[in-house]
Amino acid sequence: MKITDHALNVLTARTFKGIGEAWLNNNLTTKIPYEAIVELIAAKDASVTEQAFLEMKARLERLIENLGDSCDGVVAIGDDNYPTLRRELKKKGDIPSFLFYKGDLDLLSPDNYNVAVIGVLNPDKETEVDENQVVEQFIKKQDATIVSGLADGCDSISHRKALALNARTVAILPSPLNNILPAQNIDLAREIVENQGLLITEYLTSPSSTNFREQAGRYVKRDRLQALFSDLVVLSASYSKTSLDPNNPKPDSGSRHAMEKAKEYGIKRAVIYNEDYQNNPKYDLNRQIIKEDGPQAIVINPKDIENSLPSNLKESNGRLSTPEQVGLGF
């Protein structure tokens, strides 16, 4: 298990009342003694003592040791191997102050070309075919590393296609590494690591089974990391917030959060779309993003991948396709 004393200090500080990601990113991006950290925390809460800090630190160290082989290490802001972000964020609270990981942490490096491919939990068969085609092209033509969230549906499709092509893939989890969610994808997670991939999470422990708000919040936070560690975020298919589907009374997809964050961070975003999906509610968010991004929309048409796949953004500014250019009919 690789973890520095600094990373333990960052983790410990996070447990105290009033200490969040923004505070950590404003105060602990350099290594300082724990005594100095206690002084900073005490400025917010005078009841905090060095003894309380050290007791919590020891408790966290035991919890981390209990992760065993499920975790290779923990990296925190200020650590030498903390991943360099692709964008400088104004909202410091969005920057992860620490990450638990299993696998090759270098896959988060901005030198690596990362493409996130995300979407609904219940894709149509045609969506699966299209997504597989697009992922294959990113890997074969651009040597992309595929990033996703290990969820059922579109996430799993993208991970499995990468593995089938002996490519690298990164799974960002809403759960601790010793309790992977969804449980049915534990074998997929194991296969990702065995094939030189990477699992990362911000969580050491699972939320209370009755705290549904915290559980939902973890998925939303996971979604932002898909954007933060990618050069391009590709939406396979997704409902919008206002979608109506009689077969799915609560259709809103977590993919929406990742696409919104990509826009906020200035990360390029793209959608997979063709005219066959004009009346399919599972593509409502795709249509919404095409309209939002206007002439700059990056639309990947599976029927014309050669002309609509954006260029490797590490090598160019990307080839921007408009709906008219790929014959989408609106």
Side-chain angles (χ1 to χ4, degrees):
M1 179 82 67
K2 298 178 182 178
I3 181 168
T4 64
D5 188 65
H6 170 74
L8 271 173
N9 284 339
V10 173
L11 281 162
T12 305
R14 181 67 178 84
T15 65
F16 287 91
K17 185 178 179 180
I19 304 301
E21 308 299 332
W23 187 95
L24 293 169
N25 280 283
N26 284 326
N27 291 280
L28 297 186
T29 54
T30 58
K31 301 177 180 68
I32 60 176
Y34 80 87
E35 295 91 345
I37 297 174
V38 172
E39 287 185 13
L40 289 170
I41 299 173
K44 295 177 68 69
D45 183 355
S47 67
V48 176
T49 65
E50 290 184 10
Q51 181 180 352
F53 187 92
L54 292 175
E55 288 176 354
M56 177 57 72
K57 184 175 178 179
R59 179 187 173 195
L60 289 174
E61 192 166 14
R62 290 192 296 270
L63 287 172
I64 292 169
E65 289 174 353
N66 288 339
L67 292 175
D69 292 339
S70 68
C71 179
D72 286 343
V74 188
V75 62
I77 50 166
D79 277 334
D80 295 338
N81 61 337
Y82 182 83
T84 302
L85 300 180
R86 284 163 167 74
R87 295 288 189 275
E88 182 176 348
L89 301 188
K90 295 180 180 179
K91 190 182 293 185
K92 298 298 184 183
D94 276 8
I95 301 173
S97 51
F98 47 80
L99 296 168
F100 298 85
Y101 65 92
K102 177 72 176 179
D104 186 1
L105 191 63
D106 288 341
L107 293 181
L108 299 183
S109 167
D111 294 332
N112 207 44
Y113 184 47
N114 289 356
V115 175
V117 183
I118 58 178
V120 291
L121 298 173
N122 58 337
D124 300 332
K125 183 61 180 178
E126 294 80 5
T127 301
E128 181 176 354
V129 171
D130 286 350
E131 183 178 332
N132 275 315
Q133 285 184 297
V134 171
V135 169
E136 182 171 355
Q137 291 300 306
F138 274 116
I139 291 171
K140 287 188 173 181
K141 293 193 173 182
Q142 302 181 7
D143 193 30
T145 294
I146 302 301
V147 176
S148 203
L150 202 75
D152 287 335
C154 291
D155 287 17
S156 296
I157 292 168
S158 61
H159 289 307
R160 293 186 192 281
K161 187 61 177 180
L163 292 170
L165 295 171
N166 294 316
R168 300 157 296 181
T169 184
V170 177
I172 302 174
L173 309 178
S175 57
L177 292 169
N178 64 345
N179 186 24
I180 287 173
L181 294 177
Q184 60 266 29
N185 282 344
I186 290 175
D187 288 342
L188 175 58
R190 185 180 300 113
E191 190 175 353
I192 288 172
V193 174
E194 290 173 351
N195 285 270
Q196 290 75 54
L198 174 67
L199 310 177
I200 62 168
T201 182
E202 295 178 272
Y203 303 107
L204 172 58
T205 59
S206 299
S208 165
S209 60
T210 59
N211 193 336
F212 301 112
R213 184 174 180 180
E214 182 185 356
Q215 290 180 25
R218 289 189 176 197
Y219 283 92
V220 174
K221 290 191 70 178
R222 182 274 307 277
D223 294 335
R224 88 190 192 286
L225 294 187
Q226 292 174 328
L228 192 58
F229 289 120
S230 297
D231 300 284
L232 175 69
V233 183
V234 178
L235 179 65
S236 180
S238 181
Y239 297 103
S240 71
K241 195 173 184 179
T242 58
S243 291
L244 297 176
D245 187 340
N247 298 316
N248 189 359
K250 294 183 179 180
D252 189 22
S253 168
S255 300
R256 178 174 59 85
H257 301 292
M259 298 304 282
E260 288 173 352
K261 284 300 182 181
K263 184 176 182 179
E264 179 182 335
Y265 299 156
I267 302 293
K268 292 289 186 182
R269 59 183 188 170
V271 299
I272 299 174
Y273 196 76
N274 71 60
E275 63 272 16
D276 292 343
Y277 299 136
Q278 287 189 33
N279 299 313
N280 189 334
K282 289 179 184 175
Y283 287 83
D284 281 351
L285 185 60
N286 302 54
R287 286 186 285 270
Q288 177 184 319
I289 289 172
I290 291 171
K291 291 178 181 179
E292 284 179 359
D293 290 356
Q296 301 305 310
I298 305 176
V299 183
I300 305 171
N301 185 352
K303 292 184 176 180
D304 188 19
I305 294 180
E306 290 291 330
N307 294 316
S308 63
L309 190 77
S311 301
N312 184 323
L313 300 179
K314 295 292 187 188
E315 301 171 355
S316 71
N317 291 325
R319 179 165 62 252
L320 303 182
S321 305
T322 66
E324 292 75 21
Q325 286 175 310
V326 294
L328 299 180
F330 67 88

